[in-house]
Amino acid sequence: MSNKDVIYIYNIFQSNFLIQNGCQVIETGYGKKKDVYWKFVRDERTVDALNRWRERKLQK
């Protein structure tokens, strides 16, 4: 799976939002700076959830 097929998220709240919206986590781990990341499949569901996350943040 190439980097074009995945999305890395480092924000725990954003990751939780994606998980609650049915997005598929394929890996968790530590980044270069030892921060935790969640790796999601880049598919229609994940992209839609990310768009809803952005809209939600803009409305606040």
Side-chain angles (χ1 to χ4, degrees):
M1 199 173 265
S2 74
N3 278 345
K4 293 181 181 180
D5 299 327
V6 297
I7 297 173
Y8 290 88
I9 302 293
Y10 291 85
N11 180 324
I12 191 171
F13 301 108
Q14 187 176 21
S15 292
N16 191 43
F17 181 84
L18 294 176
I19 293 166
Q20 289 177 345
N21 281 275
C23 300
Q24 181 182 358
V25 177
I26 55 175
E27 182 180 308
T28 59
Y30 291 102
K32 292 178 184 175
K33 298 178 183 179
K34 301 298 180 202
D35 44 354
V36 177
Y37 70 82
W38 290 261
K39 186 175 173 181
F40 291 87
V41 173
R42 183 185 299 266
D43 60 8
E44 186 175 344
R45 175 176 279 171
T46 304
V47 171
D48 287 345
L50 282 171
N51 288 335
R52 281 183 276 143
W53 171 264
R54 288 185 195 114
E55 290 171 8
R56 179 176 113 4
K57 295 295 281 184
L58 289 174
Q59 291 175 358
K60 287 186 175 184

